Amino acid sequence: MTADRQPLIECEHCASIYRRHQLEPGETANCARCGAILWRYSGLTLSNWLALAISALIVFGVANAYPVASMSVQGMTQQASLLDAISITWRQGHWVVAVMTGLAGFALPMLQLSVLLWVLGPLSRGREPAAFRTAMRLLGVLRPWCMVPVFLLGVLVAVVKLAGMAAVAPGIGLAAFGILTILLTMLGRLSPHVLWRYAESVGVVPVHVPQAGPDTVLTGCHVCGQVQAVPRAGDPEEEHHCVRCDAQVHYRKPDHLARTWALLLAAVVFYIPANVLPVMQVSSVLGDSAHTILGGVVELWEMGSWDIALIVFIASVAVPLTKLLALILLLLTEQWRSTTNLRPRTRLYQMVEFIGQWSMLDVFVVILLAALADFQGLMEISAGAGAAAFGVVVILTMLSAMSFDLRRSWDLEEQSEIESPPVEGGRQSAPVAGKEMG
C-alpha cells in the first residue's frame, strides 16, 4: 500500500494525525507530540480473539454460578456469590448500591462479552457483523463501566476483614473471577477502534483516507476512529457525521469545561456524605455499630492487615481525592490558557482515566460482607448511606473525566506557536497533519 493510501489515525489526547503502518513484534507506536500510545503490535488473529472471548464467557458463567467465599459461625455456614450479594443488598432496601454493583460487576461485563462474540464471530470468517456500527457504539459505552477486576480485589478485602471474626474460606467462584480478570484484561485491548481496524484488514469495511485542504482540518471519530476532513472555518463544536459509521463527529467536545465543572462539583458535594456517613452497618448479639471508610481502614490496620488497609486506603481515600484534585488542576490550567507542562498534564489525565473505576472497591466489599455475614439473629451486615454516596462519587468523577477534552490544551500550544514569531535557533513543530511515525 502506497504511503498516500495508508489509513490515518488520530492521537486521542493531542489530536496529532499519523499514517498507520504495520508494526513488528514487540513494537509500539507512540505519539511524537504527547507520548501517548497510538497502537500496539498484536500477534493474535481474529480467531484467537474469538477463542479468548468464548473462554471468558464460559469462565464468567462459572464465576457467577459458584460462591466466591463461605463463612462459618457457630456451626452455621453462609456461602455467597456476586449475585447473592446483589440480591441480599436489594432485599435489605439498598437499591442504589444493588443496581450500581449489579451493573458494574455482572450485567455490563456480560453484555460486553456478548457484543464481542457478536462481532468477532463474523469477522473471523471474513464477513461484516450484523448491526456492526451499533455494536461498536455500544461496546465503546460499556468498556469503562465493567469492573470485574475491582470486584475480585473486593472479595480479597472482604475475606481478610471477616477472617478475624469467623472461619472464612475461598470458593470456586473466586478462582474463576481471577481467571476472568486475566481474560478481560487481554480482551480490553479490543477497543472499538481496534475492531474497526481488524474489519479494514479483512476487507469488510472500506479504507477511507481523507485529504486535508486549505479549508478543512482533519479530526477523528470518537466511535470508530476514522479520520476525516471537516470545515476549518466552522464552529469547533459544530456537528458532522462520520463518513464510515455515521456517528456524530465534533471537531472538539462541545461545552466541555462547563460539563466537566458541573459533574466535578456534583462529585465534590457527594464526596462529603460518602466520607462522613457510614458505608457499613453491623448488627450482632453484641450490639450495633456503624463504620465509615476511614473507620474500616483503621480497623484493618488494628487487625494487623496493614497491607490490605493500605490497599483500601489508596482505592477508597487517596484515589477519589487524587481524581478530584487532578481534574481541578487540569480544568484550571486550561482556563488559564496555560501551555506549559503539557506532556505531564497528559500523563496526569491518563492516570485519572486509568484509576477511575478502582474507587468502587469499598462498595463491592460492603455487599460481599452483607452476603457472607447474613446470619439472622446472630449477625447481619448491611450497606450504609455512605456506600450509595460513594458509588455516585465514582460515577460522577468518571463522567467528569470523560467530558474533559485535553486536545483543547494542545490547541492552545499550537495557536501560541503560530502567533509567536520564529526565534532563530528555536525548534518549530511540524504541521499536525503532516506528522508520521518514523
Side-chain angles (χ1 to χ4, degrees):
M1 183 180 292
T2 59
D4 60 344
R5 295 307 301 166
Q6 284 180 322
L8 302 181
I9 186 171
E10 180 195 46
C11 176
E12 298 180 6
H13 297 295
C14 70
S16 297
I17 305 295
Y18 298 92
R19 296 194 186 279
R20 195 176 78 245
H21 58 262
Q22 296 295 324
L23 298 177
E24 297 298 324
E27 286 187 338
T28 299
N30 294 81
C31 178
R33 191 182 187 194
C34 71
I37 295 176
L38 298 173
W39 72 96
R40 293 184 174 93
Y41 170 83
S42 175
L44 297 179
T45 65
L46 283 167
S47 297
N48 298 147
W49 286 117
L50 177 61
L52 281 175
I54 293 173
S55 301
L57 189 61
I58 294 171
V59 175
F60 182 85
V62 174
N64 287 279
Y66 289 90
V68 294
S70 61
M71 177 177 173
S72 299
V73 176
Q74 296 183 3
M76 296 183 294
T77 300
Q78 180 70 34
Q79 296 180 328
S81 64
L82 171 60
L83 294 178
D84 292 331
I86 296 168
S87 175
I88 290 173
T89 303
W90 180 275
R91 189 187 69 199
Q92 292 174 341
H94 302 287
W95 304 304
V96 174
V97 177
V99 169
M100 287 191 296
T101 52
L103 288 174
F106 179 79
L108 298 185
M110 182 176 66
L111 186 56
Q112 180 187 18
L113 288 173
S114 301
V115 172
L116 285 174
L117 288 172
W118 177 273
V119 170
L120 289 171
L123 282 181
S124 64
R125 296 190 294 272
R127 300 203 311 266
E128 181 179 353
F132 183 48
R133 292 158 179 78
T134 302
M136 289 299 93
R137 292 191 199 184
L138 180 59
L139 181 63
V141 172
L142 293 174
R143 290 177 74 244
W145 305 101
C146 298
M147 303 182 185
V148 169
V150 185
F151 172 73
L152 175 64
L153 184 58
V155 175
L156 298 177
V157 173
V159 168
V160 171
K161 274 195 170 188
L162 291 174
M165 296 186 289
V168 182
I172 297 175
L174 180 58
F177 267 110
I179 298 172
L180 180 62
T181 297
I182 296 173
L183 293 173
L184 287 179
T185 301
M186 296 175 66
L187 289 169
R189 295 181 63 175
L190 284 181
S191 67
H193 294 190
V194 171
L195 286 167
W196 275 102
R197 291 173 210 157
Y198 272 115
E200 286 179 345
S201 67
V202 297
V204 299
V205 297
V207 176
H208 173 74
V209 182
Q211 299 296 324
D215 298 326
T216 60
V217 63
L218 299 180
T219 190
C221 173
H222 72 284
V223 174
C224 70
Q226 173 65 60
V227 175
Q228 50 212 287
V230 297
R232 181 186 297 272
D235 184 349
E237 299 176 357
E238 183 180 352
E239 293 181 2
H240 305 276
H241 286 271
C242 178
V243 297
R244 181 162 67 179
C245 70
D246 200 39
Q248 287 186 349
V249 175
H250 296 278
Y251 177 62
R252 295 294 182 262
K253 294 178 183 178
D255 300 323
H256 83 119
L257 285 177
R259 287 190 295 130
T260 305
W261 271 119
L263 291 165
L264 188 59
L265 292 176
V268 171
V269 170
F270 278 96
Y271 186 71
I272 297 172
N275 285 274
V276 174
L277 297 177
V279 295
M280 181 176 68
Q281 296 174 332
V282 180
S283 299
S284 67
V285 292
L286 300 177
D288 299 339
S289 61
H291 302 264
T292 61
I293 293 175
L294 282 175
V297 172
V298 172
E299 182 181 353
L300 283 169
W301 188 277
E302 292 176 345
M303 289 168 54
S305 303
W306 60 268
D307 48 349
I308 301 297
L310 184 61
I311 291 173
V312 175
F313 177 80
I314 292 173
S316 301
V317 179
V319 167
L321 191 58
T322 299
K323 285 193 298 183
L324 294 173
L325 295 177
L327 285 170
I328 290 173
L329 176 62
L330 290 169
L331 285 164
L332 290 177
T333 50
E334 182 170 323
Q335 287 190 312
W336 294 335
R337 302 182 66 83
S338 171
T339 58
T340 60
N341 300 317
L342 281 175
R343 274 208 171 199
R345 282 155 58 184
T346 302
R347 301 287 85 75
L348 181 64
Y349 180 70
Q350 289 175 318
M351 181 200 69
V352 170
E353 287 187 310
F354 174 75
I355 66 177
Q357 61 178 237
W358 288 96
S359 301
M360 192 65 81
L361 173 64
D362 244 6
V363 182
F364 279 119
V365 170
V366 168
I367 68 165
L368 281 165
L369 293 176
L372 287 170
D374 187 33
F375 298 99
Q376 297 293 330
L378 183 63
M379 176 185 294
E380 186 175 353
I381 296 178
S382 62
F390 197 80
V392 173
V393 171
V394 176
I395 294 171
L396 290 173
T397 51
M398 290 179 66
L399 290 173
S400 180
M402 294 175 191
S403 300
F404 184 73
D405 196 341
L406 188 64
R407 296 172 298 177
R408 302 269 191 167
S409 298
W410 287 98
D411 290 342
L412 292 174
E413 182 198 50
E414 188 176 358
Q415 292 171 10
S416 64
E417 289 178 352
I418 294 174
E419 295 169 359
S420 300
V423 179
E424 185 177 354
R427 181 185 63 83
Q428 292 185 349
S429 299
V432 173
K435 291 183 180 178
E436 298 183 16
M437 294 301 298

